[in-house]
Amino acid sequence: MTMLVVGISGHVGSSLAAQAAQQDVPLVGLARKPAPHVERFAKVHLGDARRTDLGLAPEEAEALAADVTSIVVSVGSFDLSISLADAQAEHIAPLRGVLKFAGRCPNLRTVVLVSSLLALGDTRQRLRSDLIPETMRHRNFYEWAKLHGERIARASGVPVDIVRAGHVVVSEDNGDRTSEPQALFELFRLMTAGWPLAVVGSNRYWSCPAGFAAGILLDRAQHGTGGSAVWAVDPNSPTYAEIFDLINARYGLRVKRVRSAGLARALAAVVRPKWLDLSMNREVLDYCNAQWDLDLRCLDQLVATGRVTPPLGRDYLVRSLDYEFARLREQLP
């Protein structure tokens, strides 16, 4: 069994490579640029999934296709303000390229697609991991790209297992912390500015450490059915209220919250961070009041196999909060 990870240089791909190495699972990767932080775990092919044969030389592509038994696809960066053209180029085009390459792999068991909880858009119904809601609204092209990618994968004729991840938090000391703050961590700028957050505190902030998401991907690559779909979230993810209470106590802030769901949604729709001279994505405000009622039975069944172990606590989130808050304080006058 040889696993190919397309997008191996990212947070999820590099964590998956490390876990595969620990379990002696043969693994190779594809990246557009050299990735020295993962080359100690796997051979990395330099290519581009948007091009024919993944951008590899014909002989290299032929040898790889003959050897691969599973492919993990983790492409496209997290960007809530992405344009339609960039969503097509960074998410959809490389996925199509991988699926075309997968069709010529004679020993292929499954393609594991790293999708997102955000693929579900804005919806109010209870959600299974394999469900596409009948009524939903996409708030941005990142959400659209994730759902469109799922539909393309399912219609490809290739066996596909889908993993819908929440916020994958990089908490390891050796993790890549050079990127800009994302999702919840972007809100720190608003918190320190004293702006009331349009938050429904009882909503869960679905997250998980990168290692847990990688463990689920590794399991699906080895034991997937070619038709399964599972969440990659911490079953004990905290609520927004719990997170902001922790922030207040730990960092001495007094985060103001709007507790009315209707008012929170209205404020999130009109508030612009530039009013406070803050350079951040406005789109992140939409998720302060997002409510996803997840049916976690698929994840419970996976944990029951003993192959995947959920986080024992929430320290992964606390460590990342500490890091992001310290980084913000260095930037403040």
Side-chain angles (χ1 to χ4, degrees):
M1 169 183 167
T2 298
M3 185 188 312
L4 169 63
V5 180
V6 179
I8 196 171
S9 61
H11 296 323
V12 175
S14 57
S15 184
L16 176 57
Q19 286 203 31
Q22 291 176 356
Q23 299 182 30
D24 295 323
V25 176
L27 180 144
V28 296
L30 181 78
R32 296 183 195 174
K33 300 178 181 179
H37 61 294
V38 293
E39 288 173 356
R40 55 180 171 154
F41 302 122
K43 178 181 178 181
V44 178
H45 297 266
L46 295 182
D48 190 335
R50 297 171 297 184
R51 298 168 57 191
T52 301
D53 289 338
L54 306 181
L56 304 175
E59 300 81 4
E60 187 179 11
E62 183 178 357
L64 184 61
D67 196 39
V68 164
T69 53
S70 61
I71 304 175
V72 176
V73 189
S74 180
V75 296
S77 60
F78 176 77
D79 183 358
L80 297 177
S81 60
I82 194 170
S83 68
L84 175 58
D86 286 342
Q88 290 274 14
E90 298 299 321
H91 293 265
I92 303 303
L95 174 60
R96 290 188 185 276
V98 172
L99 293 172
K100 185 176 181 179
F101 178 79
R104 56 179 292 195
C105 298
N107 300 311
L108 184 74
R109 291 184 55 257
T110 183
V111 171
V112 183
L113 174 61
V114 182
S115 184
S116 171
L117 169 60
L118 304 188
L120 301 174
D122 188 8
T123 185
R124 292 289 176 268
Q125 66 189 93
R126 185 165 177 77
L127 298 168
R128 300 194 316 267
S129 58
D130 60 346
L131 176 71
I132 295 179
E134 296 179 0
T135 58
M136 59 191 301
R137 177 178 67 89
H138 284 127
R139 286 163 285 212
N140 50 68
F141 287 115
Y142 179 84
E143 290 187 344
W144 170 85
K146 288 306 179 185
L147 181 61
H148 192 49
E150 288 189 16
R151 286 173 166 161
I152 289 173
R154 288 296 193 211
S156 67
V158 173
V160 175
D161 292 277
I162 292 174
V163 176
R164 287 177 172 171
H167 181 191
V168 178
V169 177
V170 180
S171 58
E172 296 82 0
D173 292 337
N174 60 349
D176 179 12
R177 304 288 193 93
T178 60
S179 60
E180 288 296 313
Q182 296 177 338
L184 171 68
F185 304 134
E186 237 185 307
L187 297 175
F188 271 28
R189 303 179 188 184
L190 281 176
M191 297 176 199
T192 55
W195 189 266
L197 290 170
V199 170
V200 180
S202 60
N203 288 351
R204 300 279 290 276
Y205 186 74
W206 295 107
S207 60
C208 71
F212 181 59
I216 292 176
L217 291 170
L218 185 59
D219 179 86
R220 292 298 82 195
Q222 294 177 305
H223 305 285
T225 62
S228 71
V230 65
W231 303 116
V233 298
D234 179 359
N236 295 310
S237 292
T239 65
Y240 278 96
E242 290 172 330
I243 291 174
F244 292 133
D245 286 345
L246 170 65
I247 289 172
N248 287 344
R250 195 172 183 87
Y251 312 122
L253 297 180
R254 293 187 177 182
V255 180
K256 303 177 181 66
R257 286 162 273 179
V258 177
R259 299 181 182 276
S260 165
L263 181 57
R265 291 176 68 86
L267 282 174
V270 300
V271 168
R272 296 295 183 270
K274 64 181 180 180
W275 295 346
L276 297 174
D277 197 25
L278 296 173
S279 57
M280 60 175 288
N281 290 327
R282 190 218 68 79
E283 289 82 0
V284 74
L285 298 177
D286 291 330
Y287 299 101
C288 293
N289 54 78
Q291 181 176 1
W292 288 291
D293 181 14
L294 304 187
D295 183 339
L296 298 180
R297 283 179 293 180
C298 64
L299 190 55
D300 293 338
Q301 292 170 1
L302 185 57
V303 170
T305 65
R307 299 190 301 264
V308 175
T309 303
L312 298 179
R314 298 169 178 170
D315 57 315
Y316 67 91
L317 190 56
V318 175
R319 289 196 301 271
S320 290
L321 288 170
D322 284 343
Y323 177 87
E324 295 295 348
F325 189 74
R327 180 160 65 170
L328 178 61
R329 290 182 63 178
E330 292 177 357
Q331 298 172 356
L332 294 177

